[in-house]
Amino acid sequence: MIEGSFKWQAALIMPEHKAINKKMGEVDYFLNKKPILDEYQVEEFENNIHYAIEYHLPISFRLHNEGNPHELYGHCVYIHPFTKELRIQKKDSSFEKIQFNEIIGVIVGY
């Protein structure tokens, strides 16, 4: 019995066609692209983070990591000045490190 995808292929397929078909199968079309942030949004994120650190307020981050946006909640306890890495203390007292360039949204006092 012939498989459905094999049945409809052309009788003569060049190696280039096989490579393109294989490449198309590997692409994940459901990954979201990272939005482009302007300098004012980045400055607003920095101000909100510094405000939350100063007054020890909870903060919510919307992160874009490998095409999948997700939320992170907690308190920002430290910012490394050179690597722009933030250390976030979550509710369960564990820590998570995030890069500043992963941030696509910041809300203080979630």
Side-chain angles (χ1 to χ4, degrees), residues 13-25:
I13 295 180
M14 300 181 78
E16 294 86 13
H17 294 145
K18 284 186 181 181
I20 290 173
N21 285 340
K22 184 178 179 184
K23 187 175 180 182
M24 285 178 62

Side-chain angles (χ1 to χ4, degrees), residues 6-50:
F6 182 73
K7 178 171 52 173
W8 297 107
Q9 288 184 350
L12 177 67
I13 295 180
M14 300 181 78
E16 294 86 13
H17 294 145
K18 284 186 181 181
I20 290 173
N21 285 340
K22 184 178 179 184
K23 187 175 180 182
M24 285 178 62
E26 294 173 355
V27 175
D28 190 357
Y29 292 103
F30 297 106
L31 291 179
N32 297 325
K33 293 184 179 180
K34 183 178 177 186
I36 299 171
L37 303 173
D38 63 354
E39 61 186 60
Y40 299 110
Q41 288 174 319
V42 173
E43 185 177 346
E44 182 181 351
F45 294 164
E46 290 175 350
N47 290 338
N48 287 343
I49 292 168
H50 287 290

Side-chain angles (χ1 to χ4, degrees), residues 64-104:
H64 187 273
N65 191 1
E66 298 175 6
N68 299 318
H70 68 280
E71 299 280 333
L72 177 65
Y73 305 101
H75 290 84
C76 186
V77 293
Y78 182 71
I79 300 174
H80 194 281
F82 299 116
T83 61
K84 289 200 171 185
E85 183 178 78
L86 286 76
R87 203 172 300 155
I88 310 301
Q89 184 177 10
K90 299 190 288 187
K91 289 182 181 179
D92 61 355
S93 298
S94 64
F95 289 93
E96 187 168 336
K97 294 179 182 179
I98 60 171
Q99 296 293 327
F100 189 79
N101 59 3
E102 295 176 358
I103 299 173
I104 56 175

